[in-house]
Amino acid sequence: MIYRFADLQFDTGRRLLTRDGQSIDLTKLSFDVLKVLVEAAPNLVSHDELIDRVWGTDRVITPENLTQRIKLLRESIGDDAGKPSYIEGVRGQGFRLIPEVNTESRTSVSIFTPRKINWMAYLAATAAVALAAFIFTERLLESERPISELKPGDLPEINLSQGPSIAVLPFVNMSSDPEGNYIGDGISEDVIHTLVQQTNLPIVARTSSFQFRDQNLDGREIGTRLNATHLLEGSVRKSGKEVRVTAQLIDVPTGVHLWSEQFDVPVEELFTIQTEIATGIVGKIKAQLQVQGEDRLQELIDSASIHSRGSASPAAYDAYLQGLRYKSKGLPDDIRQALEHFEQAATLSPEFLPAWRELMTAQIVATDLPVALDYSRTAYDRIEDWLAVATPYHPDAPLFRLAHGAMQALNHYQWETGIAEMEAVLPELQNDSFALTLAAGLYFVLERPQQSYDLAARAFELNPDSPRALAILAALHSLSGRSEELRELLEMDGLDYHRAIYRTAYYGIAGQEEETVKALSFAKQFVPDSHTAIRTMDALYQWQFGDKEKARNILQELVKSRWEQPITWIWVCGLADCDDLDNEFIQQRQRTLVYLAYLNRQDERNRSVLEKLNLTNFPEPSDAWFSPSDSELQAILDRQVELTQEEHSRYVGTYGIRTRQIRISIKDDQLFYEMPTWNGPLIATGEHIFSSLNHVQHSSIEFVPSDSGEIDLCIWEYRGVTYYGYRQEHSVPE
């Protein structure tokens, strides 16, 4: 049919829209939306009907996706949403075409000039074409039939003991320009992020799936290696201002191509593709499950709506993809480049929410020790400035509300109001790794280890390439004495430089010189030896295994140059002289300073710092996370050694060096320890060795007798770190 309305002619047979004889480019989806509106005119088409007729009943399309598609269609035909001439939106109901529509049928005229024909060749060719058309049609009908018409066996079954789970390969660059790789990579990463936010399906991490770039392997083999039931692969070809993106979903066990789509879009619509790809994937997997009789779809595929992304100009989306490219590398210079690109994207299209999200993510990563580009105060001030610009475009965006609450707590020390604002929207962001790590970091500094761990573990599950999730989990494992979990975390693939820095710290503190040297040498392959993180780890190595005076000199040099190269208070000032810099570090919003001050909140010497941090009246945290499990407690009790009252008395006293102390007394005929934060009963588990009954990180407290047999030295574990202290009535060595 040919439809005429206003100054437009719409030819459905030729899939052509023209104005005054000039064609108007429409994407496939824009064409389909317009076709539904034209055929229904002058009637209103509801949101649900429009989605069902354009995308199909088995797709998950949010109202935001539909609104964005209408916006793109209006832009193509030159319609003004404020004063529409073509498409009218009825709030909460749907859309309709405004102009009167006239129709006419297309009549096809075939002109045939007789000529000599090879009839055998003609018949053979005709038969081949007919057979190919039949096979193609059957497959198309098979894959596009409504779910209600499919029956068991029509689609491959999913082994629910393995999946469903999805691996997204980097989209292949089919353009002549090798720089086009970042477009394919960016689309792939965007699809991964959209799938993570929109579903609860397990998604293979970017690092794992991207390792198969340019490898000539069968899709089934790649999927098997990645332990995924479904594999998404595709390609990107850019020509001038047009981009062709193809995507296909493969069932890994059978190799069957379940779904495929080709998108021919102008550059300005490129950012819309990842949502359509994600919904196509979800719809087909849902169809597989329904056909095989699975009724737990909500548990297996929680197809949640995500907040509107907003629109992006071609230049903004290009800058965004470039930012993703640099962010994935994770090195200091790359994070700096990523920040510049994300800020450019956000400036060009301030309504484009993903640009702001990635900008804030990179800015927080920039404050961590391995990167060390900015102090926390600089990052927090920038984030607040960005929120002031971005929030009016998305006033109800949960991410912006959570970030605002976190800034109230971390930047202004308004802990109660900030946490309340953050926690009000946190349930809506359980699939957003940045939001989870931001909240986990806040809980960490306020001694909420269980909450911090739960959120960081969820963020790491969603995105194993998150430097912040890695940093928080490593710290929690270390502080709780979970050495096996920490070692496993630090030996995983991905984030090689970040893991090398944390391995250096872990092995250095644990006194494993060979492993420390190996980790530090590996880290030095990525950044210059002059980088803050490398210099800090050099100092740690010298302190533990070499020259302590050399370690102090390195750290004092870092303190002097702290404005050129940001330093981390807990690493530098634990060994260097920073006694007169506490106020400066408070102004810098150093997270570790907040953590240690609150950790030792019962020590009166920390009173003034706690007042400056506004933590004097903050609620006491729960220490249940550090308590031993039943099996751990039973293992301790099984090793118990009975001691007399006199034998217990040998250990009573206060042990320490400088401000670090542990007090040993007797309560209820049992040895009892007290520290600024923790206290509890002890039982003997060996000669001069005692174990804590209520804090797993104090798994060992050992007393060392002098040559005369008198107990004058205590060695104890505290948060995974070993300390020692001399009896206070003796002279205290430096």
Side-chain angles (χ1 to χ4, degrees):
M1 298 291 292
I2 296 178
Y3 298 87
R4 301 182 189 279
F5 53 96
D7 57 345
L8 297 174
Q9 178 175 299
F10 189 49
D11 188 334
T12 59
R14 297 167 61 195
R15 295 186 69 84
L16 183 65
L17 178 68
T18 58
R19 175 185 285 124
D20 298 328
Q22 299 295 315
S23 65
I24 298 174
D25 291 333
L26 293 181
T27 65
K28 177 181 180 298
L29 283 174
S30 292
F31 182 93
D32 292 343
V33 169
L34 182 58
K35 183 172 183 289
V36 171
L37 294 176
V38 169
E39 290 175 345
N43 297 325
L44 180 79
V45 182
S46 70
H47 294 149
D48 290 343
E49 182 183 356
L50 193 52
I51 290 172
D52 288 347
R53 292 183 60 184
V54 174
W55 284 271
T57 57
D58 59 349
R59 296 289 189 89
V60 182
I61 302 296
T62 66
E64 290 83 4
N65 296 147
L66 178 58
T67 301
Q68 185 62 41
R69 178 55 56 186
I70 293 291
K71 177 182 177 183
L72 294 172
L73 175 57
R74 279 176 167 151
E75 290 175 353
S76 297
I77 63 178
D79 198 16
D80 183 354
K83 297 180 179 179
S85 302
Y86 297 93
I87 301 172
E88 179 184 29
V90 181
R91 188 177 182 83
Q93 297 184 48
F95 300 92
R96 72 177 184 86
L97 202 67
I98 297 174
E100 180 181 351
V101 177
N102 297 304
T103 63
E104 62 182 71
S105 298
R106 170 177 296 282
T107 57
S108 299
V109 179
S110 178
I111 303 176
F112 176 71
T113 304
R115 61 188 176 88
K116 189 174 181 179
I117 297 174
N118 185 331
W119 286 102
M120 292 300 294
Y122 173 77
L123 291 174
T126 304
V129 171
L131 178 60
F134 174 77
I135 293 173
F136 175 80
T137 303
E138 285 297 300
R139 289 180 176 174
L140 183 64
L141 291 174
E142 182 68 27
S143 62
E144 298 301 327
R145 276 187 291 160
I147 294 175
S148 59
E149 295 182 12
L150 295 174
K151 58 183 182 298
D154 284 345
L155 294 173
E157 284 199 5
I158 297 173
N159 183 348
L160 295 181
S161 65
Q162 292 183 274
S165 57
I166 305 169
V168 180
L169 296 181
F171 279 35
V172 178
N173 173 30
M174 303 296 289
S175 307
S176 57
D177 184 1
E179 284 297 306
N181 282 337
Y182 77 87
I183 297 179
D185 288 358
I187 291 175
S188 301
E189 188 166 344
D190 233 0
V191 170
I192 291 173
H193 179 64
T194 303
L195 284 168
V196 166
Q197 285 203 300
Q198 190 170 326
T199 78
N200 58 2
L201 290 169
I203 311 298
V204 174
R206 178 191 189 279
T207 299
S208 298
S209 58
F210 275 44
Q211 68 179 303
F212 292 98
R213 181 201 305 278
D214 299 328
Q215 293 194 24
N216 188 24
L217 295 175
D218 178 71
R220 295 173 67 179
E221 182 177 351
I222 294 175
T224 301
R225 289 191 187 185
L226 293 172
N227 197 29
T229 61
H230 294 77
L231 187 72
L232 182 76
E233 57 184 18
S235 65
V236 175
R237 184 188 298 275
K238 184 180 179 184
S239 178
K241 295 183 178 181
E242 297 294 319
V243 182
R244 168 169 290 181
V245 179
T246 62
Q248 57 184 354
L249 181 67
I250 300 170
D251 182 78
V252 170
T254 63
V256 170
H257 288 213
L258 297 168
W259 169 87
S260 64
E261 188 72 83
Q262 177 175 295
F263 305 89
D264 291 304
V265 295
V267 172
E268 58 265 25
E269 292 191 26
L270 188 59
F271 76 96
T272 66
I273 287 175
Q274 86 294 326
T275 301
E276 296 180 21
I277 293 174
T279 52
I281 294 170
V282 171
K284 189 52 64 177
I285 293 177
K286 182 184 288 187
Q288 282 184 275
L289 293 170
Q290 286 181 305
V291 168
Q292 71 188 62
E294 181 56 61
D295 58 1
R296 297 172 300 164
L297 292 180
Q298 194 61 30
E299 298 173 29
L300 296 169
I301 304 180
D302 182 14
S303 302
S305 298
I306 59 176
H307 194 276
S308 173
R309 292 163 54 94
S311 59
S313 69
Y317 193 62
D318 185 76
Y320 169 74
L321 294 181
Q322 291 275 23
L324 292 179
R325 172 194 186 188
Y326 284 105
K327 187 199 74 169
S328 66
K329 300 177 182 179
L331 301 181
D333 286 344
D334 295 314
I335 295 298
R336 191 191 310 276
Q337 291 268 24
L339 282 167
E340 292 176 2
H341 285 293
F342 289 138
E343 188 160 19
Q344 181 186 8
T347 301
L348 291 171
S349 293
E351 68 276 22
F352 189 47
L353 190 148
W356 295 110
R357 179 189 181 280
E358 295 299 336
L359 180 58
M360 291 188 290
T361 300
Q363 184 61 78
I364 293 296
V365 171
T367 65
D368 287 340
L369 174 64
V371 179
L373 293 179
D374 295 309
Y375 284 113
S376 297
R377 178 61 179 266
T378 303
Y380 298 157
D381 285 348
R382 286 176 180 168
I383 288 174
E384 289 193 313
D385 289 342
W386 294 334
L387 288 173
V389 175
T391 302
Y393 292 94
H394 299 277
D396 298 321
L399 178 64
F400 291 163
R401 293 165 60 194
L402 179 139
H404 182 268
M407 293 305 100
Q408 289 300 302
L410 292 168
N411 201 23
H412 301 286
Y413 298 148
Q414 299 300 315
W415 305 105
E416 291 91 341
T417 56
I419 289 175
E421 183 176 5
M422 180 188 75
E423 290 181 339
V425 295
L426 190 56
E428 301 178 53
L429 294 164
Q430 291 303 300
N431 287 343
D432 191 309
S433 62
F434 167 65
L436 295 175
T437 54
L438 192 59
L442 176 53
Y443 285 135
F444 178 87
V445 301
L446 294 178
E447 278 291 283
R448 304 294 194 271
Q450 185 64 63
Q451 291 169 288
S452 180
Y453 179 82
D454 289 344
L455 295 177
R458 172 62 177 159
F460 190 74
E461 176 188 352
L462 295 170
N463 181 16
D465 298 323
S466 166
R468 287 296 296 142
L470 171 66
I472 295 169
L473 286 177
L476 287 167
H477 285 319
S478 176
L479 296 173
S480 62
R482 292 172 167 84
S483 57
E484 288 303 315
E485 291 90 337
L486 176 60
R487 183 185 293 269
E488 180 181 349
L489 178 72
L490 296 182
E491 296 295 342
M492 293 174 65
D493 293 331
L495 293 172
D496 293 340
Y497 165 63
H498 290 256
R499 280 191 165 88
I501 292 295
Y502 296 134
R503 278 201 303 272
T504 304
Y506 166 64
Y507 290 124
I509 292 171
Q512 300 179 35
E513 183 175 4
E514 183 178 346
E515 293 295 335
T516 304
V517 172
K518 187 188 302 182
L520 184 53
S521 298
F522 186 66
K524 289 181 177 181
Q525 297 179 29
F526 297 94
V527 296
D529 289 355
S530 59
H531 188 270
T532 297
I534 299 297
R535 297 290 286 156
T536 303
M537 293 299 105
D538 276 334
L540 173 64
Y541 172 80
Q542 291 296 333
W543 185 269
Q544 290 289 79
F545 310 109
D547 185 341
K548 287 183 169 56
E549 190 59 33
K550 187 174 183 179
R552 286 195 181 94
N553 290 338
I554 293 173
L555 294 170
Q556 288 303 143
E557 290 173 7
L558 287 172
V559 171
K560 290 178 182 178
S561 61
R562 63 189 180 276
W563 294 115
E564 289 76 37
Q565 294 188 93
I567 61 177
T568 303
W569 182 87
I570 194 171
W571 285 108
V572 175
C573 295
L575 303 176
D577 181 13
C578 297
D579 291 343
D580 59 339
L581 297 178
D582 280 356
N583 286 335
E584 181 180 305
F585 288 127
I586 290 173
Q587 290 300 315
Q588 290 170 358
R589 302 302 191 254
Q590 289 258 348
R591 296 185 291 264
T592 52
L593 181 62
V594 178
Y595 167 74
L596 286 178
Y598 193 50
L599 176 67
N600 296 286
R601 58 196 170 281
Q602 296 178 8
D603 190 334
E604 281 299 318
R605 286 166 292 190
N606 282 327
R607 187 75 183 177
S608 62
V609 175
L610 288 171
E611 288 175 353
K612 292 174 182 177
L613 297 175
N614 197 25
L615 284 170
T616 51
N617 297 316
F618 201 74
E620 293 284 319
S622 168
D623 61 356
W625 195 70
F626 294 106
S627 300
S629 65
D630 291 343
S631 60
E632 290 171 326
L633 183 59
Q634 188 59 52
I636 294 173
L637 294 174
D638 289 343
R639 301 196 307 271
Q640 183 173 5
V641 177
E642 295 293 338
L643 296 180
T644 65
Q645 184 80 5
E646 182 179 353
E647 289 173 320
H648 277 136
S649 300
R650 294 184 63 195
Y651 306 103
V652 172
T654 299
Y655 304 79
I657 290 180
R658 295 177 180 167
T659 61
R660 186 175 64 236
Q661 293 183 348
I662 183 170
R663 183 170 180 268
I664 306 297
S665 59
I666 297 177
K667 291 185 179 181
D668 300 325
D669 298 325
Q670 199 169 21
L671 220 57
F672 194 86
Y673 78 95
E674 295 176 86
M675 297 176 67
T677 302
W678 308 107
N679 59 74
L682 296 169
I683 65 169
T685 54
E687 186 176 8
H688 306 307
I689 297 176
F690 292 77
S691 294
S692 168
L693 289 178
N694 63 343
H695 292 108
V696 70
Q697 77 272 27
H698 302 155
S699 57
S700 175
I701 298 180
E702 181 178 359
F703 298 90
V704 182
S706 64
D707 292 341
S708 63
E710 184 179 1
I711 303 295
D712 66 348
L713 175 65
C714 177
I715 301 174
W716 70 93
E717 286 186 27
Y718 183 60
R719 298 295 185 85
V721 181
T722 300
Y723 296 98
Y724 69 93
Y726 290 88
R727 216 167 190 155
Q728 290 294 292
E729 56 263 31
H730 294 186
S731 61
V732 180
E734 288 296 320

